[in-house]
Amino acid sequence: MKSLLSFLVLSLFLLSPLTNAQWVQTSLTNQRVNALVINNNSILAGTNGNGVYVSTNNGLSWSAINTGLTNTFVHALSIKGTNLFAGTYGGGVFRSTNNGANWNTANNGVTNPYILTFAVNDTNLFAGTEPAGGSVVFRSTNNGLSWSPANNGIPSTIVLALAVSGKNIFAGTNGGGIYLSTNNGSNWSAVNNGLTNTYIHAVAANSVNLFAGSEGGHIYFN
């Protein structure tokens, strides 16, 4: 009985920091933050009109890192190996090979510069966009040096979210629900059985379930 009591007390002690945890605002204020990504010891934030900020001290202070970033409306951030990618609204894709110290455009083959989301699957980088240039998903197999359309089966709609689970790639769209590709974006098919709201703004996947956040306050899982 004593050992059981000691175990319970220890468990409560270990769990107490989590159950008592609360959110604390960082010093990056008065910004609309569209994207966050962690790269080693750096936290990067993509903002709506002020580019990218980086913090190396867990958010205590932030610095703008916009050299070469000619469009500062950053809607997506992604990391692939030593490459950092920023997706902008109107300026396409930018790439940095030095953690954001310098940026260069990486739009070869991108016919739609309104980048809303990224996903990485093995050697492939995917970008979801608005349908302004016809294609709504682009794929790069060479770290952004060139892109090609990868949206066969997805209608001309806005791709708001991308997620990867194993060999499966999921795309959340604005009114078309969720699409699945099992061949690295060569073909897509709708997977909407049970969805009552097809305006999907966020998708996330683990090894067991797929989660989808929709317009109107719904979260679905499969």
Side-chain angles (χ1 to χ4, degrees):
M1 178 63 71
K2 182 177 180 181
S3 60
L4 177 59
L5 180 60
S6 299
F7 172 77
L8 291 174
V9 171
L10 179 60
S11 298
L12 289 172
F13 174 77
L14 292 175
L15 288 173
S16 60
L18 296 176
T19 56
N20 292 329
Q22 64 180 6
W23 294 93
V24 178
Q25 184 173 324
T26 75
S27 61
L28 186 63
T29 58
N30 299 319
Q31 303 283 351
R32 173 179 160 182
V33 177
N34 295 321
L36 289 169
V37 72
I38 296 176
N39 189 22
N40 297 321
N41 295 322
S42 300
I43 307 168
L44 295 106
T47 69
N48 201 60
N50 289 294
V52 179
Y53 286 80
V54 64
S55 174
T56 57
N57 54 13
N58 288 319
L60 293 178
S61 60
W62 298 83
S63 301
I65 47 171
N66 294 328
T67 300
L69 192 69
T70 56
N71 185 302
T72 55
F73 290 85
V74 179
H75 280 236
L77 291 170
S78 186
I79 298 170
K80 186 176 180 296
T82 58
N83 298 284
L84 176 64
F85 294 90
T88 67
Y89 195 79
V93 181
F94 291 80
R95 182 181 62 186
S96 175
T97 58
N98 52 13
N99 203 36
N102 300 94
W103 298 90
N104 294 286
T105 55
N107 286 325
N108 183 23
V110 175
T111 58
N112 185 342
Y114 299 95
I115 310 299
L116 302 177
T117 182
F118 286 124
V120 175
N121 187 27
D122 296 327
T123 59
N124 300 281
L125 175 65
F126 294 88
T129 75
E130 288 191 359
S135 298
V136 292
V137 177
F138 293 87
R139 178 181 61 202
S140 176
T141 60
N142 53 12
N143 291 316
L145 294 178
S146 62
W147 299 82
S148 58
N151 50 218
N152 184 36
I154 300 181
S156 182
T157 185
I158 302 172
V159 174
L160 294 167
L162 293 168
V164 172
S165 177
K167 295 185 179 298
N168 298 319
I169 308 166
F170 299 94
T173 69
N174 195 51
I178 299 175
Y179 287 80
L180 165 67
S181 175
T182 59
N183 54 10
N184 280 318
S186 296
N187 301 97
W188 299 81
S189 57
V191 285
N192 291 330
N193 187 24
L195 282 182
T196 58
N197 188 320
T198 55
Y199 291 83
I200 305 300
H201 287 232
V203 287
N206 58 27
S207 59
V208 178
N209 295 114
L210 173 69
F211 297 87
S214 73
E215 187 175 304
H218 299 89
I219 295 180
Y220 301 85
F221 77 94
N222 188 325

